[in-house]
């Protein structure tokens, strides 16, 4: 049928991105983990499979189930239909906590190598994930790290009350035991030296290990009492620091600041305050990390940029702060203007600086063909993560600056594909495996679907925690207890199964309106086609969320088109259930995100 | 039928009407009719009309007889009064309900079997009696509940699902209603809510007997190529003579129609019934011409839809019987039994 030149073109549902976008959580996840799929497995108590689905995609489900930045949760459809997202992150932990033996599911690493050797610099999540992707293809993988154990920032930066060492060890060891040649205690000081070792390709996953400092007035007199947050956390993680005395001020508003303040209070600080130059609402720390810190009685003081260290006889006594307030500028951005109140002095004995970190590769000689931009970041092809030296690839924080672990996994998959193509003499772009989508009908009978389509109106379940009194005594005691199996199953029911798609077949539709009448969210309309902005306002309910697509059909016999606003569809399947001709069908979309494993398919 | 309950959650932008309810508050149970049944669209149209008019659900009496159509009152206005009565006897129950409480909006839902076969006598007399109600017939031309026999409204020559032709002439309930004196007669199609919803709104506020014949295809037994009441045939063979639009008294009246085709009729409650004439020279106030036009078009195989006839000065049974303004069910014993002295006066007046 001809398309209407005056209106929207019919939606191409064969484009893998169309239905991928409908699965908001998966689309938002850098590694594109198939979230609804593993949540259904949890609901079915198939924890091992749920874990493996995660492991395949994001490599560290146990770690991420505790520490992920959760880009999926604000994206969750449930935020738009009701309010609170599904507790996706903590459900991941349920899978990790309850999984059984996974050894049978592990990829097979060939006994005979393919004769090529690869060096991974840094032992953090990015390098480990690259190792996992490359090993099944017969590469000899060598991993170098200055620490004595693998894990990188996951070990040195994340306090064990959030991520117990056993959980980390387990997931790091899974990969190391696949046959990684680990060189721990190997401080990398020269890229040239690494190149001299004669590997066929290199992956730089050394992170962003340099914490930023702040040169305030008086800094030179009190430097003994001022620590860089990430260095201090790492010293706690490796047992070099076991206590902190007196009053502590943490400067900064990110997750590192939250980890610093919560660690301080556990190491015996008399009092801990977080002081942030910006407003509470724009702090970089995740909502839940702020809540956890405040829940432990730690005040967060906002709109106070620091001016000067105050000291007496070489001893730090406090910090002087200016008082500002946020004002929205003409460009919509917040500006901070002085309130005119006198400066405030907050007493302290120790300061932890958690104001940011940089990737820092002074050990990469600048004559090796790797070009760096003006921020001293390597210039990379964003699609392949290859540097200007074709042998050298980057990933994780050392690629584009500090991000979360989930980004390291995503980069690793990308870089592993590139390295494999490079080493096999193929083109890094033309020969990349494509994205794909499969649609599989979920209809099992007249009113039977292979998914639980009943809408659960329950509110988000709260993750239980250890009582504060106990938690604050022990820096190694994990605060969150995680959902137990029953709570996990209940929370899993809140998932709307957005990957079970409403698929419309024009030629079967008799335009009886049954779907329009039954749809609880007024998502379906049959109307004259029009340009998108007009069409959005002429539907059963206005489609005001322009970030969400309209699913537009070909022209129907009445010259109208079917338009479905994807925004708040509950994926309850009532349209398909009330459709007399199966013009609507509920079909599971399986999104194929390129990963080195998919080569083997 | 559907086993999954319709989720309570609704579109975040769903508006509240003047009495603080949204459209979903006017729904009933999830339908147990076949998927794709036109009757469900009629129920949805009633829901939309009542919500848009901001009518309180508890001020409705919905009555029905027997048949697929007569199940539908369960599927709208769950917070109202209802009576699922005997086959073909809905008009008697509706009459009783309306006489007892004239303050309720009375909705009667019936089918072609219920009204044109077993209940034809009752239908004729409730039209004559001018009960103030909206009488809707979900007309699919078949006995769906008993698996697809021809009903009395099925067209001559129209075939069954197996290809057997109907040998009998159809009863046209709209023509019958016109002939018997109904003060509001309309016809519509379940697949055309743009036309149907305004007609229902106008019928609900019409101060007399309002009849709407809705062609409502039976997907299970009468939606094949030989049927004259299928979705496809109906779409191809209907034409509206007059579209109705009900404009509430506080709404601004804007004219976006071609001049000369609009006629505004003031309704007793202050609203305006706007008639948009789509057929030149058609006068919706002329009963005889309307009847003639409908019959003429039927001869040509065309089904006339829209507001076929309206008498804006309609009256109802209560005005004929001169009953008090207060509903009869609110009259107390002292009002109903005024005592010996009053009886004596009445008796004296008859001597």
């Amino acid at each position: 049928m001809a398309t209407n030149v005056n209106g929207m073109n019919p939606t191409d549902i064969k484009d893998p991105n169309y239905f991928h976008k409908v699965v908001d959580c998966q689309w938002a996840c850098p590694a594109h983990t198939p979230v609804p799929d593993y949540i259904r497995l949890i609901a079915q108590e198939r924890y091992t499979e749920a874990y493996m689905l995660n492991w395949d995609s994001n490599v560290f489900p146990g770690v991420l189930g505790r520490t992920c930045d959760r880009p999926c949760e604000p994206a969750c459809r449930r935020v738009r239909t009701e309010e609170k997202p599904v507790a996706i992150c903590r459900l991941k932990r349920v899978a990790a906590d309850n999984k059984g033996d996974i050894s049978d599911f592990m990829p097979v690493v060939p006994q005979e190598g393919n004769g090529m050797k690869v060096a991974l610099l840094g032992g953090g999540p990015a390098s480990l994930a690259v190792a996992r992707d490359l090993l099944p293809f017969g590469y000899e993988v060598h991993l170098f790290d200055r620490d004595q154990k693998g894990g990188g920032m996951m070990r040195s930066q994340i306090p064990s009350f959030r991520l117990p060492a056993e959980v980390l060890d387990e997931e790091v060891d899974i990969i190391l035991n696949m046959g990684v040649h680990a060189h721990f205690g190997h401080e990398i000081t020269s890229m040239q030296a690494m190149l001299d070792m004669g590997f066929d390709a290199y992956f730089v996953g050394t992170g962003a290990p340099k914490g930023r400092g702040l040169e305030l007035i008086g800094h030179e007199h009190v430097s003994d009492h001022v620590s860089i947050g990430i260095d201090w956390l790492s010293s706690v993680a490796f047992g070099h620091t076991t206590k902190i005395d007196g009053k502590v001020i943490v400067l900064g508003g990110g997750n590192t600041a939250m980890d610093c303040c919560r660690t301080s209070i556990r190491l015996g600080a008399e009092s801990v305050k977080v002081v942030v130059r910006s407003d509470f609402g724009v702090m970089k720390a995740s909502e839940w990390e702020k809540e956890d810190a405040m829940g432990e009685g730690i005040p967060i003081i906002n709109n106070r940029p620091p001016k000067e260290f105050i000291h007496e006889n070489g001893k730090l006594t406090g910090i002087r702060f200016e008082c500002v307030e946020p004002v929205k500028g003409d460009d919509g951005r917040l500006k901070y203007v002085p309130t005119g109140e006198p400066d405030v002095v907050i007493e302290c004995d120790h300061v932890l600086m958690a104001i940011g970190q940089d990737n820092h590769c002074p050990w990469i000689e600048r004559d090796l063909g790797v070009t760096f931009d003006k921020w001293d970041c390597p210039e990379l092809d964003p699609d392949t993560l290859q540097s200007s030296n074709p042998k050298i690839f980057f990933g994780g924080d050392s690629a584009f600056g500090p991000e979360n672990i989930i980004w390291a996994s995503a980069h690793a998959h990308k870089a592993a594909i590139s390295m494999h193509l490079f080493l096999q003499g193929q083109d890094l772009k033309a020969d990349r495996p494509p994205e794909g989508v499969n649609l599989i009908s979920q209809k099992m009978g007249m009113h039977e679907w292979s998914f639980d389509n009943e809408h659960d109106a329950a509110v988000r379940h709260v993750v239980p925690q250890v009582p504060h009194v106990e938690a604050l005594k022990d820096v190694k005691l994990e605060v969150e207890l995680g959902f137990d199996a029953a709570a996990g199953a209940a929370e899993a029911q809140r998932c709307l199964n957005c990957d079970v798609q409403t698929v419309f077949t024009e030629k079967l539709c008799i335009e009886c309106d049954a779907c329009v009448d039954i749809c609880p969210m007024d998502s379906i309309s049959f109307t004259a086609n029009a340009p998108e902005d007009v069409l959005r306002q002429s539907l059963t309910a206005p489609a005001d969320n322009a970030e969400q697509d309209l699913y537009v059909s070909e022209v129907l016999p009445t010259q109208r088109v079917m338009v479905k606003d994807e925004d708040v569809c509950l994926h309850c399947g009532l349209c398909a259930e009330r459709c007399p001709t199966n013009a609507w069908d509920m079909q599971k979309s399986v999104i194929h995100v390129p990963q080195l494993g998919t080569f083997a398919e | 039928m559907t086993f999954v309950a319709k989720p309570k959650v609704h579109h975040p932008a769903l508006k509240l009407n003047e009495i603080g309810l949204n459209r979903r508050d006017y729904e009933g149970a999830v339908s147990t009719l076949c998927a794709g049944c036109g009757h469900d669209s009629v129920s949805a149209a009633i829901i939309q009309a009542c919500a848009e008019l901001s009518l309180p659900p508890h001020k409705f009496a919905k009555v029905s007889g027997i048949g697929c159509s007569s199940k539908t009152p369960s599927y709208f206005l769950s917070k109202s009064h209802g009576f699922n009565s005997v086959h073909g006897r809905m008009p008697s129950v509706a009459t009783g309900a309306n006489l007892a409480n004239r303050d309720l909006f009375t909705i009667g839902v019936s089918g072609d079997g219920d009204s044109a076969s077993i209940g034809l006598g009752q239908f004729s007399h409730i039209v004559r009696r001018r009960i103030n109600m909206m009488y809707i017939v979900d007309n699919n031309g078949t006995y769906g509940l008993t698996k697809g026999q021809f009903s009395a409204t099925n067209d001559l020559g129209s075939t069954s699902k197996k290809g057997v032709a109907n040998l009998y002439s159809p009863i046209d309930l709209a023509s019958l209603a016109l002939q018997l004196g109904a003060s509001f007669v309309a016809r519509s199609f379940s697949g055309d809510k743009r036309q149907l919803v305004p007609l229902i709104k106008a019928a609900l506020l019409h101060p007399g007997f309002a009849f709407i014949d809705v062609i409502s295809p039976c997907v299970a037994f009468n939606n094949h190529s030989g049927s004259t009441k299928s979705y496809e045939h109906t779409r191809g063979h209907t034409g509206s003579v007059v579209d109705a639009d009900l404009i509430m008294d506080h709404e601004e009246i804007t004219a976006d129609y071609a001049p000369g085709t609009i006629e505004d009729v003031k309704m007793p409650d202050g609203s305006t019934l706007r008639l948009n004439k789509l057929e030149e020279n058609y006068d919706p106030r002329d009963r005889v011409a309307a009847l003639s036009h409908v019959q003429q078009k039927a001869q040509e195989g065309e089904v006339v839809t829209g507001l076929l006839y309206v008498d804006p000065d309609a009256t109802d049974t209560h005005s004929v019987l001169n009953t008090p303004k207060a509903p009869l069910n609110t009259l107390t014993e002292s009002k109903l039994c005024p005592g010996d002295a009053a009886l004596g006066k009445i008796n004296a007046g008859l001597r």
Side-chain angles (χ1 to χ4, degrees), chain A residues 86-362:
Chain A
V86 175
I88 300 171
C89 182
R90 293 323 187 236
L91 283 173
K92 193 191 305 289
R93 176 176 168 181
V94 172
D97 286 355
N98 294 287
K99 68 178 183 298
D101 180 16
I102 58 168
S103 49
D104 286 348
F105 297 97
M106 284 292 120
V108 178
V109 177
Q111 298 282 324
E112 282 289 298
N114 66 6
M116 279 183 268
K117 295 200 308 184
V118 169
L120 311 178
L121 314 187
S127 291
L128 289 166
V130 171
R132 189 205 71 173
D133 282 5
L134 288 178
L135 283 165
F137 289 80
Y139 294 100
E140 190 179 309
V141 174
H142 291 259
L143 180 143
F144 300 86
D145 195 278
R146 68 177 172 201
D147 293 331
Q148 294 301 328
K149 280 180 144 185
M153 295 283 212
M154 297 191 287
R155 192 178 300 279
S156 64
Q157 302 302 296
I158 302 172
S160 43
F161 59 84
R162 287 212 291 131
L163 174 61
E166 318 80 85
V167 176
L168 179 61
D169 287 344
E170 182 188 353
E171 292 191 333
V172 169
D173 289 347
I174 288 172
I175 296 168
L176 294 179
N177 293 340
M178 285 170 73
V180 175
H181 297 267
H183 306 271
F184 289 125
H186 185 118
E187 176 100 46
I188 302 162
T189 51
S190 160
M191 189 70 205
Q192 183 61 57
M194 298 308 296
L195 290 173
D196 291 344
M197 292 164 86
F199 288 98
D200 297 295
Y202 294 82
F203 176 80
V204 181
T206 48
K210 190 183 171 210
R212 281 188 209 144
L214 201 57
E215 293 295 322
L216 294 180
I217 302 167
H219 185 266
E220 65 280 11
H221 301 291
V222 297
S223 51
D224 289 352
H225 305 281
V226 178
S227 310
I228 298 293
I230 58 169
D231 296 341
W232 183 77
L233 284 174
S234 138
S235 144
V236 173
F238 293 114
H240 308 314
T241 297
T242 52
K243 65 191 200 78
I244 187 165
D245 295 326
K247 303 185 183 78
V248 176
I249 287 181
V250 177
L251 292 180
N255 287 335
T256 305
M258 299 303 119
D259 286 339
C260 284
C261 67
R262 295 178 69 194
T263 303
S264 301
I265 206 162
R266 283 166 173 75
L267 292 190
E270 183 189 321
S271 74
V272 182
K273 291 186 175 74
V274 177
V275 187
V276 193
R277 61 165 56 235
S278 60
D279 202 40
F280 188 80
V282 298
M283 283 169 63
K284 285 208 174 122
S286 311
E287 210 55 49
W288 49 92
E289 303 220 3
K290 292 195 275 190
E291 277 167 21
D292 284 345
M294 293 187 294
E296 292 177 357
I298 299 166
I300 297 178
I301 301 163
N302 292 89
N303 303 317
R304 297 286 178 269
K307 282 175 97 169
E308 126 180 61
F309 291 117
I310 298 173
H311 53 93
E312 276 169 29
N313 309 324
K315 191 185 173 319
L316 178 70
T317 58
I319 302 178
R320 186 187 307 280
F321 292 94
E322 190 184 357
C323 297
V324 296
E325 62 184 353
V327 176
K328 212 171 219 169
D330 294 336
D331 56 355
R333 298 176 66 172
L334 284 186
K335 283 184 188 128
Y336 292 89
V337 295
T339 60
E341 295 165 73
D343 290 348
V344 289
V345 173
I346 300 177
E347 282 181 31
C348 67
D349 303 299
H350 204 111
V351 177
L352 299 175
M353 295 270 193
I355 54 170
Q357 58 198 75
D358 295 311
N359 47 350
H360 187 57
C361 315

Side-chain angles (χ1 to χ4, degrees), chain B:
Chain B
M1 78 174 266
T2 299
F3 297 97
V4 173
K6 185 168 177 174
K8 293 260 188 294
V9 51
H10 58 74
H11 193 284
L14 191 60
K15 286 200 182 76
L16 297 181
N17 64 15
E18 285 166 34
I19 57 169
L21 301 178
N22 67 46
R23 194 187 72 248
R24 297 287 305 278
D25 296 323
Y26 288 80
E27 288 180 347
V30 170
S31 171
T32 58
L33 297 171
C34 306
C37 181
H39 300 2
D40 287 334
S41 288
V42 179
S43 301
I46 294 172
I47 290 166
Q48 191 184 334
C50 294
E52 288 177 5
L53 289 175
S54 298
L55 299 176
H58 68 281
K59 285 291 196 186
F60 278 85
K62 43 181 194 181
V63 284
S64 62
I66 294 295
C68 297
S69 62
S70 298
K71 293 171 73 178
T72 65
S74 289
Y75 313 140
F76 60 82
L77 296 180
S78 59
K79 304 280 193 304
S80 64
H81 310 278
F83 197 113
N84 186 190
S85 73
V86 190
H87 206 357
R89 272 64 178 176
M90 177 271 275
S92 299
V93 180
T95 304
N98 181 258
L99 282 178
N101 188 351
R102 63 185 295 172
D103 280 358
L104 296 181
F105 291 91
T106 307
I107 297 181
V109 183
S110 182
D112 38 321
D114 200 52
S115 281
S117 291
I118 192 169
L120 189 61
Q122 293 241 334
F123 173 75
S124 305
H125 290 287
I126 198 169
V127 180
R128 285 184 60 244
R129 283 191 185 127
R130 297 180 239 166
I131 298 298
N132 182 5
M133 71 180 294
M134 175 175 76
Y135 192 120
I136 286 190
V137 168
D138 292 341
N139 186 354
N140 58 16
T142 190
Y143 297 150
L145 214 56
T146 54
K147 303 201 169 178
Q149 299 82 3
F150 296 124
S151 83
T153 62
N154 201 292
D155 291 314
L156 187 63
S158 167
T159 72
S160 72
K161 211 171 172 179
K162 298 258 177 190
V164 181
N166 178 25
L167 306 175
Y168 303 105
S169 292
I171 292 172
D172 179 17
L173 289 169
S175 297
L176 207 53
L178 281 168
Q179 197 265 317
L180 291 167
S183 50
F184 180 111
V185 180
R187 180 149 49 208
S188 189
F189 169 43
S190 68
D192 186 1
K193 284 208 198 67
R194 267 171 215 264
Q195 181 191 52
L196 179 55
V197 172
L199 284 174
I200 291 174
K201 286 158 86 171
L204 283 170
L205 296 188
H206 178 73
F209 183 81
F211 176 70
I212 310 179
D213 177 27
V214 187
I215 298 166
S216 170
C218 172
V219 277
F221 297 106
N222 206 13
N223 196 38
H224 45 271
S225 56
S227 162
T228 55
K229 290 202 165 39
S230 65
Y231 281 105
E232 201 180 339
H233 187 276
T234 307
R235 286 207 173 92
H237 295 82
T238 50
S240 180
V241 282
V242 177
D243 272 355
D245 193 8
L246 195 71
I247 303 162
M248 302 308 287
D249 51 355
H250 57 269
E251 285 175 318
E252 195 187 348
I253 298 181
T254 53
D256 54 354
Y257 298 101
T261 62
I262 297 292
E263 191 180 340
D264 285 340
V265 179
K266 212 72 189 154
M267 301 282 279
D269 67 311
S271 60
T272 302
L273 178 64
R274 166 162 290 185
L275 306 175
N276 177 27
K277 288 190 221 170
L278 303 171
E279 177 99 13
E280 224 180 334
N281 302 326
Y282 187 89
D283 181 3
R285 318 267 203 105
D286 185 340
R287 184 187 296 276
V288 176
L291 186 55
S292 159
H293 186 77
V294 168
Q295 289 290 309
Q296 177 67 39
K297 285 288 179 186
Q299 285 278 315
E300 297 165 15
E302 291 294 312
V303 182
V304 179
T305 63
L307 182 50
L308 307 178
Y309 174 76
V310 63
D311 174 5
D313 306 317
T315 54
D316 76 332
T317 313
H318 284 283
S319 63
V320 173
L321 297 179
N322 198 22
T323 55
K325 287 272 176 272
L328 296 184
N329 68 342
T330 61
L331 300 185
T332 56
E333 195 179 343
S334 61
K335 278 259 160 92
L336 291 169
C337 305
D340 282 349
L343 183 63
K345 255 190 185 171
I346 292 167
N347 283 341
L350 297 171
R351 286 205 174 91

Side-chain angles (χ1 to χ4, degrees), chain A residues 368-445:
Chain A
L368 301 177
V370 182
T371 52
F372 286 81
D373 63 18
K374 57 180 169 177
W375 298 282
D376 214 27
C377 284
E379 279 178 356
L380 304 174
D381 181 318
D383 297 328
T384 65
L385 300 180
Q386 190 179 37
S387 75
S388 43
N389 179 332
K391 265 190 179 180
I392 304 175
F393 299 80
F394 284 74
D397 288 357
S398 56
F400 307 109
E403 277 288 358
N404 199 265
I405 302 163
I406 190 72
W407 279 101
S409 304
H411 287 167
H413 296 319
K414 217 184 237 188
I417 293 172
S418 303
M419 293 169 81
H420 178 67
L421 292 171
F422 171 71
L423 294 170
Q424 301 301 321
Q426 290 177 287
D427 189 276
L428 266 56
K429 290 203 171 175
D431 296 325
R432 282 188 105 71
E435 288 193 8
V437 59
N438 280 112
L439 292 170
I440 307 149
S441 178
Q442 301 298 294
K443 199 175 177 80
M444 297 181 75

